[in-house]
Amino acid sequence: MNKPLIQALSLGKTYYVKSGLFRPRRKLEAVSGVDFAVDEGTTFGLVGESGSGKSTIARLVLGVERPTTGRVEMMGNEVPVLDDDPAPAFRRLIQPVMQDSTAALDPRMNVGRIIEEPLRIHDVHHNGVERSHRVTELLSQVGLDAAMAKRFSSALSGGQRQRVAIARALALNPRVLVLDEPVSSLDASTQAQILNLLKQLQSELALTCILISHDMAVIAFMSQQIGVLYMGRLVEVGLRDTILKDAQHPYTIALLASADHRAAIGFGTLQGEIPSPFDPPSGCAYHPRCPLAAQRCRVEAPLLRSTSSGRKVACHFAEVSRSDIAQLEHNQTITEDSHGLTQTDLD
Ligand SMILES: Nc1ncnc2c1ncn2[C@@H]1O[C@H](COP(=O)(O)OP(=O)(O)OP(=O)(O)O)[C@@H](O)[C@H]1O
Ligand SMILES: [Mg+2]
């Protein structure tokens, strides 16, 4: 078996959020017990709705924030948090590409300077000629003309800006890219161009990617492995084809339906809103929105367990047939009814 290049081990992040001048801070578990492992040269796609904890995981993997529990390991070594990084060289190996590169790209710098900046900070190429060669090489890798180096980022299209952000991320020859919603701000045809570029770069440079998106179609196109995040926890993790052809968690199925992959399955698309993270539901956090929810789901949180098909899933009903579920529900209704009767009789 391959040893993973990068992995998250029981990763968790809890925030304590101010709730008013004289009120105690409220606890918010943004990420909890997240485990995944990514083999070299592959993409792990992390998908979930807004607020599910995707960017928090990105920040933990990048070492921008300190995890409350667990750790991130790369090639068997713990990835240090930026604040107390004893070996900045290590950080060069993991680079981010964010959703809105407008904020990341300084409008006062021209493109050449933006791409060159990491080389200066890390003192990689000592003279201007070497740096300028590297900038031209990077521009060509991301499909931009060398003349682009003189342009200012404020004068670029969204797609061009994202190409510049990718070139900058590649400047230091990273092994891992953490891509947080890299195409969400782009129109559909530009999205496709950038995703194809990322695929091409990945195979040319043997990059390992952690790709974050709320859009299952983007994740399905890019990833070898998919992790589905709900309220800070992974609810299903597995190989892309297993997840696409035979998703087991009702949340995964709903995400697939909303991306039109499974419109016909009959489970429907997502219903209702994500509950408040300050007051998560009892039992399975998905139960208030789940078409299969039964009494057990309201009281007992399902563990993320391995199933016979090799994926992991956190649902009491995973790999239970729908007719069995109907039978279970039926039995449960009878039990609840008879319990009610007994109660009434006693009263
Ligand atoms: N610095 C912080 N302090 C307090 N709470 C935070 C902080 N950062 C994130 N959160 C909370 O943690 C939860 C997860 O947020 P996160 O930004 O990771 O979600 P996301 O999946 O990236 O959402 P989106 O798709 O909207 O970007 C949210 O409830 C958010 O409000
Ligand atoms: Mg986010």
Side-chain angles (χ1 to χ4, degrees):
M1 214 177 95
N2 285 347
K3 213 171 172 349
L5 186 80
I6 187 158
Q7 55 185 333
L9 298 153
S10 305
L11 206 54
K13 182 72 188 176
T14 302
Y15 295 109
Y16 290 88
V17 183
K18 279 188 189 157
S19 57
L21 204 51
F22 300 108
R23 297 221 184 100
R25 286 171 183 261
R26 299 179 78 189
K27 182 176 171 182
L28 189 155
E29 268 193 1
V31 172
S32 183
V34 164
D35 286 288
F36 60 80
V38 195
D39 288 340
E40 181 156 23
T42 69
T43 296
F44 178 73
L46 199 53
V47 64
E49 287 166 287
S50 181
S52 56
K54 305 182 297 295
S55 297
T56 304
I57 292 179
R59 292 193 296 275
L60 297 175
V61 171
L62 288 160
V64 177
E65 282 187 24
R66 191 180 304 280
T68 313
T69 60
R71 63 189 187 280
V72 177
E73 281 189 3
M74 183 165 168
M75 296 180 283
N77 298 311
E78 183 162 354
V79 174
V81 177
L82 215 54
D83 282 351
D84 43 30
D85 188 350
F90 193 65
R91 302 235 52 82
R92 289 162 40 180
L93 301 174
I94 312 176
Q95 291 291 322
V97 176
M98 297 308 188
Q99 169 177 0
D100 184 9
S101 35
T102 319
L105 308 182
D106 189 335
R108 294 161 307 174
M109 287 187 191
N110 66 31
V111 165
R113 188 68 199 249
I114 287 169
I115 298 175
E116 191 186 61
E117 206 186 23
L119 303 174
R120 284 174 182 274
I121 293 170
H122 288 268
D123 201 17
V124 175
H125 294 301
H126 304 295
N127 67 60
V129 178
E130 279 181 23
R131 280 199 298 270
S132 137
H133 277 139
R134 179 73 178 132
V135 168
T136 309
E137 181 184 45
L138 287 160
L139 282 170
S140 139
Q141 273 182 327
V142 299
L144 293 175
D145 197 84
M148 192 65 88
K150 300 270 176 290
R151 303 259 296 269
F152 283 86
S153 69
S154 49
L156 304 180
S157 70
Q160 287 170 331
R161 266 203 297 277
Q162 212 54 336
R163 285 174 195 266
V164 171
I166 294 167
R168 184 184 152 100
L170 294 177
L172 296 167
N173 288 318
R175 302 280 299 274
V176 177
L177 287 186
V178 178
L179 304 132
D180 189 353
E181 303 275 9
V183 295
S184 304
S185 60
L186 306 174
D187 62 65
S189 71
T190 316
Q191 278 198 3
Q193 288 167 18
I194 297 293
L195 293 177
N196 282 318
L197 170 70
L198 285 169
K199 269 197 168 180
Q200 181 199 324
L201 289 169
Q202 180 171 35
S203 75
E204 277 171 19
L205 305 172
L207 289 166
T208 305
C209 297
I210 296 172
L211 171 70
I212 287 169
S213 178
H214 65 280
D215 184 345
M216 187 58 115
V218 168
I219 293 289
F221 179 66
M222 295 294 292
S223 316
Q224 281 74 42
Q225 242 197 119
I226 296 178
V228 181
L229 200 63
Y230 188 73
M231 294 192 78
R233 288 172 189 270
L234 283 172
V235 295
E236 188 157 7
V237 193
L239 292 175
R240 171 193 179 275
D241 289 352
T242 311
I243 302 285
L244 293 192
K245 291 192 192 120
D246 181 35
Q248 288 290 318
H249 198 287
Y251 181 58
T252 315
I253 294 170
L255 287 180
L256 286 164
S258 43
D260 266 355
H261 280 267
R262 284 285 189 102
I265 198 162
F267 274 54
T269 48
L270 279 169
Q271 305 290 319
E273 299 287 319
I274 304 186
S276 163
F278 293 109
D279 189 18
S282 60
C284 172
Y286 190 59
H287 89 253
R289 304 170 75 186
C290 181
L292 299 180
Q295 182 54 24
R296 184 179 177 194
C297 309
R298 292 178 197 109
V299 291
E300 188 188 331
L303 296 174
L304 188 69
R305 62 185 163 91
S306 297
T307 65
S308 54
S309 53
R311 113 275 309 283
K312 286 184 178 167
V313 59
C315 173
H316 295 306
F317 294 138
E319 297 197 352
V320 177
S321 76
R322 295 199 74 189
S323 58
D324 286 348
I325 293 171
Q327 189 59 49
L328 283 166
E329 281 285 70
H330 179 68
N331 293 348
Q332 182 191 316
T333 315
I334 292 171
T335 318
E336 279 172 3
D337 283 355
S338 57
H339 180 71
L341 262 180
T342 318
Q343 200 64 43
T344 318
D345 289 345
L346 285 173
D347 290 341

